[in-house]
Amino acid sequence: MLNFEFKNPTKIIFGKGQIVKLPKEIPAKSKILLLYGGGSIFKNGIYDQVKAALKDFEVIEFGGIPANPEYEVLVDALKIIKGQGITFLLAVGGGSVIDGTKFLASAALYTGENPWDILKNNIRTEVGMPFGTVLTLPATGSEMNSGAVITNKATQEKLGMGGPGLFPLFSICDPEVIKSIPQRQIANGITDAFTHVLEQYMTYPVQAYLQDRLAESVMQTLVQVAPVIMKDPSDYTAAANFMWSCTMALNGLIQKGVPNDWAIHAMGHELTALYHIDHARTLAIIAPSHYAYNIESKKEKLAQYGERVWGINDGNVLEKAKLAIVKTEEFFHSLGIDTKLSQYTSDYQKSADFIKNRFTERNWVGLGENKSLTPNDAHNILEMSY
Ligand code: NZQ
Ligand code: ZN
């Protein structure tokens, strides 16, 4: 096992009817900016619950944060934060609203001239404006981690940011919010969370037995609940297990003491920036090719995953590893998710060169757990995913 440090200060308030607890968690006399997305919270009653809970606070609202939150939209919210003396941010939404709020928490206290530099120059946020979240869509784990991904529409870039100042103070996770989520987004959530586990697991063995089993148990739980929640999002047991699995997939716990990959996300973010494909779907496009391309360095973990998650007991390590990739792709298909880039766009052939050039420009010359995945490798993986 590798050395590690672990600290996660986010308080999780989990379960039915927990939104009423909001006022106890927000510092008294806060001036709140309530941030939301395209308006789903008005149709499913979440807005009404939040407003009722906040009746004793001064609240200003900012809506319209789009999926893959855009810098250009967020700077308008930043003006309100600075102009109105906001002291607390409350995100009510999925990963996009929460990530947008994290950017604002950082930008509100940033003293540099251009807040985009936080992303462009990879500036760590040590202290941010305090914020909490009411999670409406399980997927990203953003409700219990300190990372965010922001899109710059003008430059077609999608970049990550983070730092210890960006953990939510609290997150309210009520699985009943899931019943209004469209099936397409539920499929996305399962795929994103599943791939988060893969990114922190599918590397090489370091005899971290507990981390391996924690990761496998999150994947097994997602595989178990996927067909139930896809069929009936109002099934509370499935919803609760789905929601907690998504949080556990990316709250920092399973990645400690083990090597991490994250190359699938690096390539996937480029596909979203280029073609506006949903985040989770980009991962389903890249993952099978990435694992097939890197099978030599990943075969032990692929075989272990095949045995423990998919019950593959026959064959040697390489055969088990190959079958594990097939099973993973079949799982994505079972959710109605296509795994070839050409199924999403007819303009797919430019992507390999585009991504190779982008990674070269940024000097991303060694991605993955061995820091050995070159821009040329990314090019080859993209071509395999056409
Ligand atoms: O905008 P509204 O109207 O609220 O509708 C949203 C949106 O259209 C809808 N939705 C959310 N909750 C709902 C609901 N519809 C009905 N009922 C509800 N209860 O779902 C749509 C998608 O929402 P979004 O927040 O974009 O989805 P998700 O949670 O998958 O977030 C994706 C974003 O998170 C980033 C992705 O790159 C992407 O930008 N990620 C963030 C990570 C992190 N912070 O740790 C890690 C991830 O790997 C990922 O990169
Ligand atoms: Zn993701």
Side-chain angles (χ1 to χ4, degrees), residues 214-230:
L214 286 170
E216 288 151 5
S217 66
V218 176
M219 292 191 281
Q220 285 169 323
T221 309
L222 286 167
V223 169
Q224 180 184 348
V225 300
V228 187
I229 199 72
M230 286 290 286

Side-chain angles (χ1 to χ4, degrees), residues 3 17 31 52 77 80 90 92 99 102 112 121 157 159 163 171 190 239 246 303 323 357 364:
N3 293 356
K31 189 164 178 185
I80 298 174
L90 181 66
V92 184
D99 281 11
K102 287 178 178 172
N121 301 335
E157 283 174 291
L159 295 175
S171 284
I190 297 165
C246 292
L323 192 53
N357 294 339
W364 289 7

Side-chain angles (χ1 to χ4, degrees), residues 309-326:
V309 176
W310 298 112
I312 300 169
N313 294 313
D314 296 335
N316 59 29
V317 168
L318 193 60
E319 286 161 352
K320 284 179 183 170
K322 284 184 180 164
L323 192 53
I325 300 173
V326 173

Side-chain angles (χ1 to χ4, degrees), residues 178-344:
I178 293 170
K179 56 184 178 225
S180 65
I181 302 174
Q183 207 184 40
R184 163 200 168 99
Q185 298 297 347
I186 291 182
N188 284 352
I190 297 165
T191 303
D192 193 21
F194 196 84
T195 312
H196 291 160
V197 182
L198 291 176
E199 296 267 40
Q200 302 161 90
Y201 172 97
M202 207 60 81
T203 56
Y204 53 86
V206 292
Q207 286 73 48
Y209 307 135
L210 179 63
Q211 287 91 326
D212 280 2
R213 289 200 169 83
L214 286 170
E216 288 151 5
S217 66
V218 176
M219 292 191 281
Q220 285 169 323
T221 309
L222 286 167
V223 169
Q224 180 184 348
V225 300
V228 187
I229 199 72
M230 286 290 286
K231 200 166 158 214
D232 179 12
S234 66
D235 182 316
Y236 185 80
T237 301
N241 282 287
F242 168 40
M243 188 174 245
W244 189 224
S245 295
C246 292
T247 305
M248 284 299 293
L250 196 50
N251 64 2
L253 181 64
I254 64 169
Q255 66 183 225
K256 295 299 163 189
V258 295
N260 279 238
D261 182 346
W262 295 108
I264 298 170
H265 272 68
M267 291 180 260
H269 289 329
E270 298 303 322
L271 292 182
T272 299
L274 198 55
Y275 301 113
H276 307 288
I277 301 170
D278 292 352
H279 168 65
R281 288 164 202 257
T282 68
L283 308 176
I285 293 167
I286 302 286
S289 307
H290 179 62
Y291 292 140
Y293 186 79
N294 293 293
I295 197 153
E296 261 316 304
S297 61
K298 290 178 181 288
K299 61 178 186 289
E300 280 86 10
K301 288 303 284 284
L302 274 164
Q304 177 179 310
Y305 153 80
E307 282 168 21
R308 296 190 187 174
V309 176
W310 298 112
I312 300 169
N313 294 313
D314 296 335
N316 59 29
V317 168
L318 193 60
E319 286 161 352
K320 284 179 183 170
K322 284 184 180 164
L323 192 53
I325 300 173
V326 173
K327 288 281 180 193
T328 309
E329 199 164 3
E330 282 173 5
F331 179 54
F332 296 148
H333 292 162
S334 77
L335 304 170
I337 296 215
D338 292 326
T339 50
K340 289 288 171 202
L341 184 56
S342 54
Q343 292 171 300
Y344 294 86

Side-chain angles (χ1 to χ4, degrees), residues 127-153:
V127 183
M129 180 172 275
F131 70 99
T133 90
V134 176
L135 180 67
T136 68
L137 172 55
T140 63
S142 191
E143 68 280 6
M144 200 181 175
N145 68 40
S146 60
V149 192
I150 306 296
T151 296
N152 188 317
K153 212 174 159 187

